Amino acid sequence: MDQRVIRILEFDKIRQMLAEKAVSELGRQLALKLKPATDINSVTALMEETKEAESILMRYSSAPLMSFSDVKSEVKRLETQGVLNCKELLRLNGVFKAAKTAKANIKKDNEGQIRILPEMAGRLFFDGAFIQRIDNAVLDETHLADGASDELFRLRRALNRENDKLRDKLSSLAKDEHISRYLQDAIVTSRNGRYVVPVKAEHKKDVKGLVHDQSASGQTLFIEPESVVEANNKIRELEAEIKAEEHRILAELSAAAAPYYDAFAADTEILAYLDLVFSKASLAGSMKASPPEFNEDGILHIKSGRHPLVNAKTVVPVTIMIGGDYTALIVTGPNTGGKTVSLKTCGLFQLMAQSGLFLPALASTTLPVFKRIFADIGDEQSIEQSLSTFSSHMANIIPILKNAKTGALVLLDELGAGTDPAEGAALAMSILEEVKNNGAYVMATTHYSEIKAFAMAEPGYENASMEFDIKTLSPTYRLKMGIPGLSNAFEISRKLGISDHVVARAKSHMTEERTRFEQLLNEAAASEEEARKKIEQAEDFKRKSQSLKDKAKLQQEKAEKQEKAIIRKAKEEAAEVIKAAREEAEAVISSLKKARPENERELTQAIQSARSALEQQRQALSDGIKDMDKPGTPGEMQIQVGDEVKLIGVGTKGTVLEAPDNKGIFQIQAGVMKLSAHVSEIESIKPAEKTQIKATSRLVKQAPSQAKMEIDIRGLTIDEGIMELDQYLDEMFLSGLKEVSIIHGKGTGKLRAGIHEFIKRHKHVASYRLGTFGEGETGVTIVTLK
């Protein structure tokens, strides 16, 4: 992409924001050089990487990467067998540690949704033994640890002992009454690496030894007494041995790192790219952004897009649509009404999306992939070149006309401005025709009514306008598709105090065609506003009707539950009657046996007669129970795997997963949960009982009579999700359910956070938690109702 276009659309500022999210200097450099891809496969791959990074970030409080250094210079020194210092070894070790951390944290998920970044992290290399060796040997950027080698440990201990002995000897000397009177202070210090005492200059001959330094005033001489010269020499010898041992250790560690110079170079390249990808995901979280979709149908549809560089508290979302029946969009409206911001939003979103960045817009935003983007935005006239505003615009447009072909997006601000209105409008229309006929998409802003009329009359063009509140005389910054902007100059002038006769005279100067055109625009705007109000009224009526319908179904469900409870109780009582009768009959038979009548045959006949009578009673009572079943359900229905069943008394629906075991226990899938239920606790659902499912937006919602134990709000905005969830919780509370599931997905976590904030204060919610393994994990919230 042209660097001028990147600057005009302020993509360079987005890159700077991205760079601030990086954990390494190499990642920061990649962010500052980020460029959009120009083919759909590459663009889709970039977006998938960012999606994976976002999913991984949901599992961590920060990016699963640690800071690392650019080790190009260290790698070059390893290639030439140079000896590295402590700082350089630590920088190399930092690369291996970062590789180890990334490899441990960036892994594939069980669902197979995260695969690209784990494969990338899988190419990282580190040597655990090398990491441990450097950690043990190098204390900081300037010092080796005492334990770097046994010899170094021995030498340093010896040096410490000699230093202590020498300081003690000098301290004793400084306190000796024969010597102390010659000293400036009773202290021991060092000069040129040797221990000395401060002697008054006039007593130089009274303290025999070597003079190493003197004070600035010359009043004090720093003398190494003869009695400690040998001890000082011993210390210097030990220091030299320590320095040689340290160099040997550094050379040994450098030799251990040398075989990995290719690995260090490859790791930094992979880590830097991973840093860039996770920076994209982190920036998406800061912007509250969502991933757009890409299409090959040439549809550019930005839904509720918020310019990322405008204050988030004041920015007004815009919806922009280009493609399908038209490839040229003409935007009109008042000055400072938001036309240029809308234009920049369109171009900036394309640059961001094609670079793998999420967009601060609805997730249903869909975009094509443009090979080139051209822009002429703002007054870029050059004082040095003495170019007028019109000349400056033409200088920018000339290369656009030459190069904007199929697969290009052209953004033109205030097209035709800066010259005679009639000529400017005519030239603007001709430019639009040329760009469109060359196959490029174009979005242009203008004030000319002639261009509005042109876009209304010609196929392949569409009007849009920035809304203006005539009552407050201020723009609303909302973009209205399909309606050209109104000319409010006369009405604004009247409200500001211009007399009516001046406004009337001004209108008389307009041509009849122009007046009629403006009148038609006003009528169209009024009709559009009236239609919008009627649509809102219809939607409100629809919501109220649905609410009444849901309440009626809820009452019906209650009645059905009461009826089932009565039937169940009757069945239980009948079972008790049968049991009592059987026990009584067996008692009679037992008595007869004890009586032992003389005729055994008569005894047998009596027992058979009693049992026969009992069986007839049981059969009659059983038939009565069956008569209590619902019509069309004669006796026990055959339930098979795959059948849809309902839990008696709860109303929850599920699907049979396994045939019953020898105890009559079925395994049932109900939403995200698997349940076990006895055959007596479930009933098969007849086709006539199945409730039709109606798709509303992207949410599939079932009738409340089913007491559905889950609600799926993935893909909705926070406001839409809260609206659906509020009604659902009311229904489930009334139906008597104690636990339900909210499926909100993982995504960026914005929807989940908004829902948690809402249910935290909901009157029916007792508590809530995230799902565990098998329940949907962080993509599902389990709610316990009061």
Side-chain angles (χ1 to χ4, degrees):
M1 295 291 174
D2 190 339
Q3 287 300 314
R4 177 179 163 278
V5 171
I6 285 176
R7 176 177 54 80
I8 291 173
L9 296 177
E10 299 179 286
F11 184 59
D12 54 335
K13 294 181 180 179
I14 300 297
R15 293 193 297 197
Q16 184 63 45
M17 294 169 64
L18 179 63
E20 292 172 2
K21 300 293 184 181
V23 299
S24 69
E25 181 58 31
L26 287 175
R28 174 181 169 81
Q29 292 173 12
L30 289 181
L32 294 174
K33 297 175 183 177
L34 182 65
K35 292 182 180 179
T38 56
D39 68 275
I40 192 164
N41 292 331
S42 299
V43 169
T44 302
L46 290 174
M47 193 59 67
E48 286 301 316
E49 290 174 357
T50 310
K51 287 180 182 178
E52 289 189 9
E54 182 196 38
S55 297
I56 294 172
L57 281 179
M58 297 296 292
R59 292 189 269 165
Y60 300 91
S61 59
S62 59
L65 296 174
M66 60 181 292
S67 180
F68 60 95
S69 303
D70 182 1
V71 293
K72 289 188 181 69
S73 60
E74 287 82 358
V75 169
K76 287 182 179 178
R77 292 194 63 195
L78 288 179
E79 289 183 271
T80 58
Q81 298 182 344
V83 176
L84 305 184
N85 58 34
C86 291
K87 181 179 180 180
E88 291 168 329
L89 287 169
L90 286 177
R91 285 163 63 89
L92 289 177
N93 206 35
V95 172
F96 270 1
K97 285 185 175 181
K100 180 180 180 180
T101 300
K103 205 162 187 174
N105 293 337
I106 305 173
K107 293 184 176 180
K108 294 182 179 180
D109 61 338
N110 295 329
E111 295 79 20
Q113 299 297 315
I114 302 176
R115 53 182 182 80
I116 301 174
L117 298 186
E119 289 175 2
M120 203 175 296
R123 297 196 297 270
L124 291 168
F125 173 83
F126 67 91
D127 184 333
F130 177 82
I131 293 174
Q132 189 64 46
R133 187 173 181 183
I134 297 298
D135 284 344
N136 292 338
V138 182
L139 189 63
D140 55 37
E141 292 186 353
T142 55
H143 298 91
L144 287 172
D146 289 346
S149 75
D150 292 341
E151 179 65 8
L152 182 63
F153 181 75
R154 184 190 67 77
L155 289 171
R156 285 182 175 177
R157 285 191 63 183
L159 178 63
N160 290 335
R161 286 196 300 269
E162 291 299 326
N163 278 324
D164 290 341
K165 286 167 57 178
L166 182 55
R167 278 195 297 268
D168 291 343
K169 189 172 184 178
L170 284 173
S171 295
S172 299
L173 189 65
K175 294 175 183 177
D176 187 300
E177 59 181 11
H178 299 294
I179 301 296
S180 60
R181 58 186 175 181
Y182 303 134
L183 302 182
Q184 197 72 263
D185 291 296
I187 61 172
V188 177
T189 185
S190 66
R191 287 293 186 274
N192 302 319
R194 300 180 75 88
Y195 287 105
V196 296
V197 290
V199 179
K200 295 176 183 178
E202 61 269 25
H203 295 292
K204 174 183 178 182
K205 294 182 179 179
D206 297 317
V207 179
K208 294 183 179 180
L210 301 175
V211 177
H212 285 279
D213 199 4
Q214 68 177 13
S215 65
S217 63
Q219 299 294 316
T220 304
L221 299 176
F222 296 96
I223 297 176
E224 177 186 1
E226 287 181 346
S227 59
V228 299
V229 170
E230 186 177 347
N232 261 325
N233 289 340
K234 178 64 175 175
I235 289 174
R236 295 302 292 268
E237 290 173 3
L238 285 171
E239 288 176 344
E241 289 182 51
I242 288 172
K243 187 173 182 180
E245 176 63 11
E246 287 177 342
H247 184 271
R248 186 195 68 77
I249 294 171
L250 290 174
E252 188 178 86
L253 293 176
S254 299
Y260 300 132
Y261 72 87
D262 282 336
F264 288 124
D267 277 359
T268 52
E269 185 177 347
I270 296 172
L271 287 168
Y273 189 78
L274 287 172
D275 191 10
L276 172 65
V277 176
F278 281 101
S279 296
K280 293 179 183 180
S282 180
L283 181 63
S286 300
M287 289 183 176
K288 297 180 172 59
S290 302
E293 297 295 330
F294 296 101
N295 66 84
E296 298 184 85
D297 301 324
I299 302 298
L300 187 157
H301 193 180
I302 297 171
K303 298 182 180 180
S304 298
R306 309 178 307 277
H307 196 291
L309 300 178
V310 178
N311 190 314
K313 296 181 179 178
T314 59
V315 65
V316 177
V318 295
T319 295
I320 302 172
M321 175 79 177
I322 308 176
D325 295 335
Y326 60 92
T327 56
L329 182 65
I330 310 303
V331 183
T332 51
N335 288 327
T336 69
K339 297 193 303 296
T340 302
V341 172
S342 297
L343 201 66
K344 285 186 173 183
T345 299
C346 180
L348 181 58
F349 273 25
Q350 279 294 154
L351 292 176
M352 290 174 63
Q354 291 183 213
S355 301
L357 294 171
F358 286 8
L359 304 178
L362 294 183
S364 52
T365 291
T366 182
L367 301 171
V369 175
F370 293 108
K371 296 185 180 301
R372 296 192 67 180
I373 297 177
F374 300 90
D376 175 43
I377 299 176
D379 183 7
E380 295 186 276
Q381 59 179 307
S382 170
I383 296 177
E384 294 178 358
Q385 296 178 0
S386 300
L387 294 177
S388 66
T389 300
F390 177 74
S391 299
S392 177
H393 282 303
M394 288 303 104
N396 294 331
I397 289 174
I398 288 171
I400 293 176
L401 293 176
K402 291 180 180 179
N403 300 305
K405 308 295 181 183
T406 300
L409 172 65
V410 177
L411 306 170
L412 302 172
D413 192 26
E414 297 297 345
L415 185 59
T419 187
D420 177 76
E423 293 181 353
L427 185 59
M429 288 184 282
S430 180
I431 291 171
L432 287 172
E433 287 182 304
E434 181 69 12
V435 173
K436 180 180 175 298
N437 291 341
N438 286 340
Y441 279 36
V442 60
M443 181 177 178
T445 68
T446 184
H447 283 292
Y448 294 140
S449 295
E450 292 84 352
I451 300 179
K452 302 178 196 176
F454 172 76
M456 293 177 69
E458 294 295 323
Y461 295 83
E462 181 61 279
N463 274 301
S465 61
M466 304 307 300
E467 190 178 60
F468 187 85
D469 190 339
I470 196 65
K471 295 179 182 179
T472 62
L473 302 182
S474 61
T476 66
Y477 305 104
R478 285 193 290 268
L479 181 63
K480 300 170 66 176
M481 295 293 299
I483 301 294
L486 301 177
S487 176
N488 298 302
F490 294 148
E491 192 63 30
I492 293 172
S493 299
R494 183 182 285 111
K495 286 184 177 291
L496 290 175
I498 299 294
S499 58
D500 290 345
H501 74 276
V502 173
V503 174
R505 188 183 302 120
K507 288 184 177 180
S508 69
H509 291 312
M510 293 178 63
T511 63
E512 182 178 347
E513 292 80 4
R514 176 67 179 273
T515 303
R516 178 58 181 161
F517 178 68
E518 294 295 335
Q519 182 180 349
L520 288 173
L521 288 183
N522 281 281
E523 291 174 356
S527 298
E528 190 265 346
E529 182 65 20
E530 184 179 355
R532 184 182 62 80
K533 290 181 179 179
K534 288 183 177 179
I535 290 173
E536 290 179 354
Q537 292 173 354
E539 290 292 335
D540 184 57
F541 177 77
K542 181 180 178 182
R543 284 192 295 270
K544 290 180 179 178
S545 298
Q546 185 63 40
S547 178
L548 291 173
K549 182 179 178 182
D550 292 343
K551 289 179 180 178
K553 287 184 177 180
L554 190 58
Q555 293 299 325
Q556 179 184 359
E557 182 187 39
K558 284 184 177 181
E560 290 176 354
K561 284 184 178 180
Q562 291 174 354
E563 179 183 356
K564 289 176 181 178
I566 293 171
I567 292 173
R568 186 169 61 253
K569 185 176 180 181
K571 288 181 178 180
E572 291 171 354
E573 291 177 351
E576 289 297 325
V577 170
I578 293 174
K579 180 181 179 182
R582 185 185 298 277
E583 290 175 351
E584 183 178 351
E586 291 296 334
V588 171
I589 292 171
S590 178
S591 298
L592 288 173
K593 287 181 177 180
K594 288 180 181 179
R596 308 279 316 164
E598 296 178 359
N599 192 335
E600 290 289 339
R601 182 176 182 182
E602 290 179 2
L603 173 60
T604 301
Q605 288 177 349
I607 292 173
Q608 290 294 341
S609 177
R611 285 177 172 167
S612 177
L614 177 62
E615 178 60 25
Q616 289 177 4
Q617 183 181 2
R618 188 199 65 77
Q619 186 62 43
L621 189 54
S622 180
D623 291 342
I625 293 173
K626 291 178 181 178
D627 290 339
M628 298 172 71
D629 288 338
K630 290 186 290 183
T633 313
E636 181 182 353
M637 296 186 67
Q638 294 296 321
I639 299 176
Q640 301 176 349
V641 174
D643 284 357
E644 193 171 4
V645 296
K646 185 184 294 184
L647 297 179
I648 297 173
V650 180
T652 299
K653 292 176 66 174
T655 303
V656 176
L657 297 177
E658 298 177 8
D661 58 18
N662 55 6
K663 296 182 180 180
I665 303 297
F666 284 85
Q667 296 299 317
I668 299 169
Q669 180 75 47
V672 297
M673 295 184 293
K674 290 184 180 179
L675 306 174
S676 297
H678 191 265
V679 64
S680 62
E681 299 173 331
I682 62 175
E683 60 182 18
S684 179
I685 299 177
K686 297 182 302 181
E689 286 183 300
K690 293 185 179 178
T691 306
Q692 291 183 346
I693 298 174
K694 179 180 178 183
T696 303
S697 180
R698 293 179 64 183
L699 175 68
V700 177
K701 177 181 170 186
Q702 294 186 333
S705 61
Q706 297 174 350
K708 196 172 189 308
M709 297 180 70
E710 65 178 85
I711 181 172
D712 189 344
I713 59 173
R714 289 175 293 184
L716 299 183
T717 64
I718 293 176
D719 291 339
E720 291 171 344
I722 287 174
M723 185 181 299
E724 295 289 347
L725 183 58
D726 188 29
Q727 182 176 337
Y728 171 75
L729 292 175
D730 287 342
E731 295 168 359
M732 297 303 100
F733 175 80
L734 292 174
S735 68
L737 282 184
K738 288 299 181 183
E739 188 173 89
V740 296
S741 300
I742 305 169
I743 303 175
H744 43 64
K746 298 178 181 178
T748 62
K750 298 190 292 293
L751 178 58
R752 178 184 63 203
I755 292 304
H756 283 186
E757 190 63 27
F758 168 69
I759 60 178
K760 188 186 299 180
R761 303 186 301 272
H762 199 278
K763 58 186 178 181
H764 297 324
V765 175
S767 62
Y768 66 93
R769 62 178 176 81
L770 287 175
T772 58
F773 180 77
E775 292 180 322
E777 299 178 353
T778 57
V780 174
T781 295
I782 310 299
V783 177
T784 301
L785 300 178
K786 294 180 180 177

